[in-house]
Amino acid sequence: MRTVRINKYIAFSGVTSRRKADQLILDGKVAVNGAVMKEPGYDVKPDDEVLCEGRKISPEASKTYILLNKPVGYVTTTSDDKNRPTVLDLIQDEDRRIFPVGRLDYNTSGLLILTNDGDVANKLMHPSKELDKTYRAVVSGILTRGKIARLEKGLDIGGFRTSPAKVEIRKHNRNSTVVDITIHEGKNHQVRRMFKAVGAPVQELERIKIGNLVIGRLAVGGYRKLGPAEVEYLKSI
């Protein structure tokens, strides 16, 4: 192995993305050869021993990519200080260390990618990629043309103005609307905040698509390995 920047080394080891690896370093949770490392620019040498949160790590020889249909009631972290179930509890037959890419709220279900490929994770989460994400929501009331126009134009959700969204009505019920909305940002609770801003609070929310990857008919709580073409797509983003 040639020398490699430490955040990249951590990502290649399947711990987390490069961006989150930088924070682990700054928090003093990474040690090199027995000493706490706080230099994000350090280059790991072939004979260095690297520990992350007390565990020795090394780059994974092979990568794995999983598409999960996350149920409501699971957190998208590798551990939880409130002892809530995490998405990793749903993965039963994977020995490699993997982590979720990005987040889905505790009360939101749907498509989530898990991997040990830090490079791919970094690409998927980087704002510059403007990767489309489509959500299917059940919102209160009838979503009028005026409300749709506001969502499609972009609106202020409290200190942040959203980019134009794509909105498609799926069904009007008596007291609710089923609607698909596509955005490329990832602000905290963004979709819920957008619908709340137009007076249509979210009752249910599911992510059904990320880029070209779709959840299809995968059962809630189910998961599958991505196929070669899907993996190549992720790497090409």
Side-chain angles (χ1 to χ4, degrees):
M1 183 192 78
R2 298 173 295 176
T3 60
V4 58
R5 191 180 177 94
I6 192 163
N7 64 351
K8 200 170 185 178
Y9 185 96
I10 293 169
F12 283 175
S13 298
V15 177
T16 188
S17 67
R18 274 187 279 174
R19 188 162 47 174
K20 291 184 179 179
D22 284 334
Q23 191 60 50
L24 287 174
I25 296 165
L26 293 174
D27 289 344
K29 295 181 178 180
V30 178
V32 178
N33 301 327
V36 173
M37 173 57 61
K38 290 202 174 182
E39 299 176 31
Y42 180 79
D43 288 328
V44 179
K45 303 172 185 62
D47 57 348
D48 282 343
E49 181 183 69
V50 180
L51 277 70
C52 184
E53 297 182 314
R55 294 180 58 180
K56 184 176 179 179
I57 62 172
S58 60
E60 296 280 353
S62 61
K63 304 299 179 186
T64 189
Y65 309 85
I66 291 173
L67 189 155
L68 168 72
N69 187 348
K70 174 196 169 298
V72 169
Y74 284 76
V75 291
T76 51
T77 56
T78 55
S79 61
D80 183 64
D81 56 9
K82 297 178 181 177
N83 292 320
R84 294 172 296 181
T86 78
V87 290
L88 293 186
D89 294 329
L90 298 165
I91 311 298
Q92 302 296 327
D93 55 357
E94 180 55 60
D95 294 330
R96 299 179 184 88
R97 291 182 62 184
I98 57 175
F99 57 91
V101 179
R103 295 203 175 202
L104 274 182
D105 296 340
Y106 184 77
N107 291 320
T108 300
S109 63
L111 197 161
L112 184 70
I113 302 298
L114 299 99
T115 186
N116 60 354
D117 190 330
D119 246 10
V120 162
N122 198 55
K123 285 182 180 181
L124 289 174
M125 290 189 291
H126 203 282
S128 67
K129 297 298 180 181
E130 296 192 348
L131 187 65
D132 281 347
K133 296 174 282 289
T134 300
Y135 298 79
R136 180 159 294 166
V138 179
V139 301
S140 298
I142 301 301
L143 204 60
T144 64
R145 290 183 179 179
K147 293 178 179 181
I148 293 171
R150 290 181 63 194
L151 294 166
E152 291 180 330
K153 183 178 180 181
L155 71 167
D156 191 305
I157 56 173
F160 176 76
R161 186 168 186 85
T162 65
S163 296
K166 299 174 186 176
V167 180
E168 182 180 358
I169 301 298
R170 308 298 300 185
K171 184 180 180 181
H172 276 127
N173 300 315
R174 176 175 294 182
N175 298 309
S176 64
T177 304
V178 181
V179 56
D180 289 352
I181 184 168
T182 300
I183 62 173
H184 62 73
E185 301 125 328
K187 296 297 181 181
N188 203 24
H189 306 300
Q190 180 172 335
V191 172
R192 294 178 185 274
R193 290 162 67 189
M194 290 173 71
F195 282 113
K196 184 178 180 180
V198 299
V202 169
Q203 297 176 357
E204 299 176 25
L205 188 62
E206 175 190 17
R207 185 160 63 192
I208 60 175
K209 188 175 182 181
I210 297 178
N212 289 343
L213 300 178
V214 296
I215 199 144
R217 297 185 177 183
L218 187 63
V220 175
Y223 61 93
R224 64 176 178 82
K225 296 285 184 70
L226 293 186
E230 292 173 315
V231 172
E232 285 306 308
Y233 165 70
L234 289 182
K235 292 182 176 180
S236 71
I237 290 173

